[in-house]
Amino acid sequence: MVGCVWQAGRFEIGLDKPKIMGIVNLTPDSLSDGGVYSQNAQTALAHAEQLLKEGADILDIGGESTRPGADYVSPEEEWVRVAPVLAEVAGWGVPISLDTRRTVIMEKALALGGIDIINDVAALTDEGAVELLARQADTGICLMHMQGLPKTMQINPKYQDVVGEVAWYLKARSAECIAAGIAPQRIILDPGFGFGKTLQHNIALMRHLPELMAETGFPLLIGVSRKSMIGELTGEANAAERVHGSVAAALASVARGAQIVRVHDVKATADALKTWEALGINL
């Protein structure tokens, strides 16, 4: 597998211990937080500061909802949402990730400076995305698997072998990036829990994370926080009430080898990881 350091822009992020990526949603239709942090830039920045105080190692900023059934957001609107927040957090001296699948947004953000990671649910399939990132010297990249598009991805997703098919796709996307000149140490992979997958697909992926990591040869970033799969398992319809299930799923993914967990509830996750590690459980 690619080594224990992720080259992410200005930072070399050590992956010998699990890292927490804190989510800053700038989308008014977010199911997880009700769009509260999209009201204005100052509200979002205050939330980002709080996530860092609670133990986030990375901040992930996003301006387009990719939840199941999400409506189309224009690139212009996405940029209006993220630009003022990115301009501020870029100077904070912490790893900053931009959650976007659009080349034009990536390009504008990278031109600002201080953006260390591109976290793309579409795995750099937008026209020109691979070429743009290949021109960057060290920007970190997260390639995610998604079957279909957010608007329709949860309408009867099907696989013959979900673990094998996700591994094949992520291997193909990482190979294209490397062929374009992107160094392997800049790449991390995300199997895309809830992105065109049923609960049983998600469970299969979680149970087979070690095989997925061995097959792809790259570190894994896992995002299960407050997702519908947690609601299905716990019976909680309200996303804000899925904290305990989300923490349990984050710990399960780390126990199976995941190096980064992307979460809404940073303090709860950080406390759980600290406690588990202090008790001598091998993560």
Side-chain angles (χ1 to χ4, degrees):
M1 189 180 76
V2 174
C4 291
V5 174
W6 184 25
Q7 181 63 53
R10 300 163 293 171
F11 301 89
E12 292 184 348
I13 300 176
L15 301 177
D16 53 326
K17 291 187 177 181
K19 296 296 186 290
I20 297 174
M21 176 182 276
I23 300 169
V24 183
N25 276 329
L26 304 179
T27 54
D29 57 343
S30 170
L31 286 178
S32 60
D33 55 38
V36 65
Y37 305 119
S38 68
Q39 295 173 4
N40 57 66
Q42 290 309 309
T43 300
L45 290 167
H47 177 58
E49 287 181 333
Q50 184 61 33
L51 294 182
L52 292 174
K53 290 176 183 177
E54 292 176 354
D57 301 291
I58 305 164
L59 293 176
D60 190 45
I61 316 294
E64 181 198 18
S65 177
T66 51
R67 63 178 176 80
D71 291 329
Y72 174 79
V73 176
S74 71
E76 293 78 12
E77 176 60 24
E78 183 182 355
W79 183 244
V80 166
R81 293 174 182 178
V82 301
V85 175
L86 292 177
E88 178 66 25
V89 299
W92 284 7
V94 298
I96 301 300
S97 168
L98 173 63
D99 182 356
T100 186
R101 54 187 175 138
R102 291 167 166 152
T103 306
V104 64
I105 302 298
M106 298 175 196
E107 189 167 22
K108 288 182 176 182
L110 291 168
L112 283 176
I115 309 304
D116 303 292
I117 300 160
I118 297 296
N119 179 18
D120 185 1
V121 300
L124 299 187
T125 53
D126 195 24
E127 183 177 357
V130 170
E131 292 78 9
L132 171 65
L133 270 297
R135 293 195 296 271
Q136 307 298 314
D138 49 17
T139 305
I141 301 163
C142 180
L143 304 172
M144 196 194 81
H145 175 275
M146 173 171 57
Q147 185 182 92
L149 297 171
K151 185 72 174 177
T152 58
M153 64 187 177
Q154 287 305 102
I155 300 175
N156 196 29
K158 293 182 179 179
Y159 300 85
Q160 293 295 317
D161 170 12
V162 65
V163 178
E165 290 173 48
V166 169
W168 178 88
Y169 177 83
L170 291 175
K171 284 173 67 177
R173 295 306 305 146
S174 56
E176 180 174 338
C177 289
I178 293 168
I182 295 171
Q185 60 266 28
R186 294 170 54 190
I187 299 172
I188 197 166
L189 305 179
D190 180 347
F193 285 90
F195 281 78
K197 298 170 185 74
T198 66
L199 176 60
Q200 292 308 312
H201 294 145
N202 291 323
I203 291 173
L205 284 170
M206 182 64 76
R207 289 177 176 172
H208 293 279
L209 286 183
E211 294 92 328
L212 185 63
M213 191 158 47
E215 178 67 19
T216 61
F218 286 92
L220 294 183
L221 181 154
I222 300 299
V224 291
S225 181
R226 300 191 185 184
K227 288 187 174 178
S228 60
M229 64 173 282
I230 305 298
E232 290 181 73
L233 291 169
T234 63
E236 292 290 354
N238 184 347
E241 298 299 324
R242 298 172 185 165
V243 178
H244 303 95
S246 297
V247 171
L251 290 178
S253 66
V254 169
R256 287 169 170 80
Q259 286 84 359
I260 299 178
V261 287
R262 181 180 180 272
V263 306
H264 299 85
D265 305 291
V266 169
K267 187 177 189 307
T269 306
D271 285 352
L273 286 170
K274 287 176 185 176
T275 302
W276 205 357
E277 185 177 29
L279 292 174
I281 298 173
N282 184 15
L283 294 179

